[in-house]
Amino acid sequence: MPKIARDLLLILLPVIAAFAVLPAIYSNHLLLFNFIIAMTLAQGLNIIYGFTGYLPFGYVGFFGAGAYGFSLAVIHLHAPPLVALAAGAAAAVAFALLLTPLFRLSGAYFSIANLAAALAMLQVVSNPNLESITKGPYGISLNGVFNPTFAYGTALATLAATLGLVIYLRYSHFGMALRAIREDPISAGMAGINVVRERIIAWLLSALVAGLAGGVFAWYVSVFYPETVFSVEFTIFSIVFVLFGGSATVLGPILGVIVLYGIYNAVGISTPQYFQLIYGALIMGLVLFLPNGLISLLQRRGIDVP
Amino acid sequence: MFTYSLLAGLLFGLYFSLIGLGLNLVFGVMRIVNLAHGDFLMLGAFLAFWLFSLFAINPVPAVVIAFVGFAIAGVPIYYLLVPRLLRAKDPEMLSFILFFGLAQVIEAVTTIAFGTSERSIPGNQLGQAIATVESLFTGHAVEGGPVEIFGQTFPASWVASGIASGCAVLLVYVYLYQTRLGYLTRAVMDNREEAVAAGIDVHRVSAIAFGIGLGLAAVAGVFAPFMLGSITPAMGAEITITAFAVIVIGSLGNPLGTVLGGVIYGVGYMLMQSYFSSWANLLPYVLLIAILLVRPSGLLGRRVRRA
């Protein structure tokens, strides 16, 4: 059995099946939905960080763009949800295209510029002068499209597609090319890889995933403020989940979300500062002692983990 | 209104230079990104508030206490975190994530200790300090209160913060260009490997630079209640971004550039506040992205940047 089929069967299928069945057993559907969003965002960040090495600190910008693209399409164009979702995804991809010049920067400069871009986006969206278009700082309230079951299903489909994409990246030539670029862009270019094009495709795919997640999030919650969907916490959480599990793997981010987001919801939601403390300390510990995540403990022993 | 914005921008510009200076020093010497810079500044602000409200210590002596305290604290933090980082494959990126974690820890601990409520120090505290100094020089009593420059009146605390920031910048300049330690520090900035080869104790030099960087952040923090409004544990992230905008406009690793960056940023900010106030908050982000894209090496930077 080829590895790609094995991963689809043993990782993607069980995860999606679990999230499909759980609503029937467990009554807190919002929590399950948040798990799906967290997992989608973590895998979306994994596409760009894990496979190309660029860490977008403003990743939440695409999530916010997706949420606002969805909402504005519903409010101003009275679009049906799936069309509005496409608009949200398009908004995120357009924002990513606008930011492609940032790839001229490297390392930390890229991250900082990306964070600045996401914060600039928040400032624009929540500006009172634009109230007639974006509702400014007063937030979005959608009515007429509220349909939690349909939204949940769409979120699940988005997660399935994202997981499929990451599995594909792991075994395809395209994913291999991306990792070659991550390790050494100059050698990769010499080997005939179109560095700029491949990198930008990964960037747009990553933004597309976040845009879809943002759109479906807006659809599911229906009422939110600009600070909700542009909260830097989305980025922080995604980075921690990916780092904890192990980047550039399929299982790593899934593991990170289940363990850390699970603990967060079990204990931390009432006292966020204690969780901020634990997360901060965890990030520091991971960077200092286990920079490749939990999965690397197995990989070091020669066990191949997808 | 234009003169007012220009002069206020200059005062704030000096202060913004001070905010960026510590970050730039740490980056220049160690090539690591201290993403917790704004949070150290926040701690400095809380120290000033704490000294004032518990012991009624005026912000002026608090400057000295904050600088010495943070500079001493910086040395063990350096030895704990940085040498291990510098051995890694990609220290710059890892430092970015590591100090981001540290920023989270600092913010969380401060929130647990002090709560999320906003705090401030009365602005006249700094004004009185100025009046005292002024009366020492002129020989007769001077009343504390607004200060007049070129026919425009400014709060005395702004003028005091601006002047103090200017002095701090000068002292850093003296440290870098007039002392032997500064000479060694510049050698490490220029080329770490060759500095090692030349027998310089790189870790000692770096640890001191790191301490001075944190000390400068804390000094900027002491003036934060007067220049940036009330202080909260969550203020750090935004300040880090501002500091980055300032040093990137100037150029990374160049203290003179930081002053230029600070002044451009301050004047730009004040002009925005006067003429397009609702969009003023957008300025640091847009300026940062624009400068990074147009001139990645900063306004005073050399063409080559090793980052």
Side-chain angles (χ1 to χ4, degrees):
Chain A
M1 185 163 59
K3 282 178 168 177
I4 192 161
R6 182 199 70 186
D7 285 0
L8 285 173
L9 207 64
L10 293 182
I11 300 173
L12 189 142
L13 206 62
V15 169
I16 300 302
F19 279 115
V21 173
L22 273 171
I25 311 163
Y26 186 66
S27 64
N28 191 346
H29 292 184
L30 178 63
L31 183 66
L32 292 175
F33 180 80
N34 283 338
F35 260 97
I36 294 178
I37 292 292
M39 217 172 262
T40 311
L41 284 178
Q43 293 289 10
L45 186 97
N46 192 19
I47 294 173
I48 188 71
Y49 176 59
F51 288 90
T52 73
Y54 280 86
L55 181 58
F57 252 60
Y59 191 56
V60 70
F62 305 121
F63 184 77
Y68 266 87
F70 178 89
S71 308
L72 299 185
V74 168
I75 293 171
H76 296 297
L77 306 173
H78 306 288
L82 287 182
V83 176
L85 193 61
V93 172
F95 187 40
L97 268 177
L98 190 70
L99 295 185
T100 44
L102 295 187
F103 278 98
R104 279 161 43 190
L105 309 168
S106 63
Y109 301 87
F110 172 82
S111 305
I112 294 162
N114 185 219
L115 177 60
L119 291 171
M121 185 81 157
L122 168 63
Q123 293 288 342
V124 170
V125 164
S126 65
N127 196 297
N129 288 354
L130 295 181
E131 198 196 329
S132 58
I133 306 171
T134 65
K135 309 285 174 201
Y138 313 107
I140 296 272
S141 173
L142 299 173
N143 34 30
V145 293
F146 185 64
N147 185 344
T149 320
F150 193 10
Y152 186 92
T154 316
L156 200 54
T158 309
L159 175 62
T162 311
L163 282 176
L165 181 60
V166 175
I167 293 172
Y168 167 74
L169 283 180
R170 244 190 106 69
Y171 299 111
S172 65
H173 278 285
F174 176 47
M176 187 107 76
L178 287 179
R179 274 177 286 174
I181 296 172
R182 181 189 67 190
E183 295 307 325
D184 189 341
I186 294 168
S187 308
M190 298 282 234
I193 297 170
N194 188 337
V195 174
V196 175
R197 196 192 63 192
E198 311 278 289
R199 200 185 258 163
I200 285 178
I201 292 175
W203 176 235
L204 295 182
L205 284 173
S206 180
L208 174 69
V209 167
L212 286 170
V216 83
F217 180 83
W219 184 11
Y220 192 87
V221 300
S222 288
V223 177
F224 59 88
Y225 291 99
E227 290 81 19
T228 324
V229 290
F230 281 100
S231 161
V232 183
E233 263 177 32
F234 280 110
T235 312
I236 301 175
F237 274 34
S238 307
I239 293 174
V240 178
F241 296 153
V242 173
L243 276 180
F244 180 80
S247 60
T249 64
V250 185
L251 268 182
I254 297 178
L255 196 69
V257 171
I258 291 174
V259 174
L260 294 179
Y261 200 57
I263 299 175
Y264 172 75
N265 281 294
V267 202
I269 221 144
S270 56
T271 49
Q273 58 270 35
Y274 285 94
F275 252 77
Q276 194 180 24
L277 177 62
I278 294 169
Y279 267 58
L282 199 64
I283 295 176
M284 292 177 70
L286 285 170
V287 169
L288 287 176
F289 302 107
L290 205 61
N292 294 319
L294 275 188
I295 298 283
S296 69
L297 286 177
L298 292 172
Q299 284 170 338
R300 252 185 247 164
R301 285 171 181 76
I303 303 168
D304 174 48
V305 185
Chain B
M1 183 130 149
F2 184 73
T3 336
Y4 177 84
S5 311
L6 215 60
L7 286 172
L10 206 62
L11 289 174
F12 270 84
L14 282 172
Y15 179 65
F16 284 131
S17 314
L18 178 61
I19 291 185
L21 204 56
L23 185 65
N24 206 2
L25 188 66
V26 169
F27 181 85
V29 176
M30 278 147 271
R31 299 276 143 190
I32 60 168
V33 182
N34 180 4
L35 216 56
H37 185 75
D39 295 273
F40 284 110
L41 192 148
M42 177 272 290
L43 285 180
F46 268 90
L47 178 69
F49 171 79
W50 187 65
L51 287 172
F52 172 72
S53 53
L54 284 185
F55 306 110
I57 293 178
N58 188 280
V60 177
V63 167
V64 181
I65 300 173
F67 181 79
V68 174
F70 276 70
I72 291 172
V75 175
I77 297 178
Y78 173 86
Y79 280 109
L80 211 62
L81 300 178
V82 182
R84 185 184 276 275
L85 261 185
L86 292 179
R87 279 198 301 274
K89 209 181 87 188
D90 183 4
E92 199 176 292
M93 201 64 221
L94 278 184
S95 74
F96 193 69
I97 307 174
L98 176 77
F99 281 95
F100 173 73
L102 183 61
Q104 299 298 313
V105 169
I106 294 175
E107 190 183 322
V109 170
T110 320
T111 310
I112 292 167
F114 295 102
T116 50
S117 55
E118 303 192 341
R119 291 178 167 76
S120 55
I121 303 175
N124 62 5
Q125 285 299 319
L126 213 50
Q128 276 164 11
I130 289 211
T132 320
V133 175
E134 221 177 310
S135 60
L136 275 179
F137 276 108
T138 54
H140 53 84
V142 176
E143 263 182 61
V147 178
E148 209 180 288
I149 308 172
F150 292 117
Q152 311 282 333
T153 40
F154 299 99
S157 53
W158 288 13
V159 179
S161 305
I163 293 172
S165 307
C167 294
V169 172
L170 272 180
L171 285 174
V172 170
Y173 192 79
V174 169
Y175 148 65
L176 279 178
Y177 290 92
Q178 303 293 330
T179 65
R180 183 168 162 74
L181 181 64
Y183 188 61
L184 299 180
T185 311
R186 280 185 295 135
V188 178
M189 269 189 193
D190 229 33
N191 191 324
R192 199 176 179 89
E193 280 77 34
E194 283 181 20
V196 174
I200 298 173
D201 186 348
V202 174
H203 279 308
R204 198 179 68 94
V205 171
S206 302
I208 294 172
F210 191 77
I212 291 176
L214 294 197
L216 287 170
V219 171
V222 173
F223 294 109
F226 309 109
M227 300 300 271
L228 305 176
S230 50
I231 54 176
T232 66
M235 71 196 278
E238 206 178 310
I239 293 172
T240 308
I241 301 258
T242 307
F244 262 108
V246 167
I247 66 174
V248 167
I249 295 169
S251 61
L252 288 162
N254 182 340
L256 213 61
T258 306
V259 179
L260 182 70
V263 169
I264 289 177
Y265 182 86
V267 172
Y269 186 75
M270 278 296 152
L271 288 175
M272 287 286 279
Q273 282 284 9
S274 306
Y275 296 101
F276 311 92
S277 61
S278 64
W279 295 98
N281 289 335
L282 204 58
L283 182 77
Y285 311 125
V286 173
L287 211 55
L288 181 63
I289 299 172
I291 298 264
L292 275 176
L293 289 179
V294 176
R295 242 190 103 85
S297 54
L299 293 180
L300 288 188
R302 280 166 291 180
R303 287 204 62 80
V304 186
R305 196 193 53 187
R306 302 172 50 216

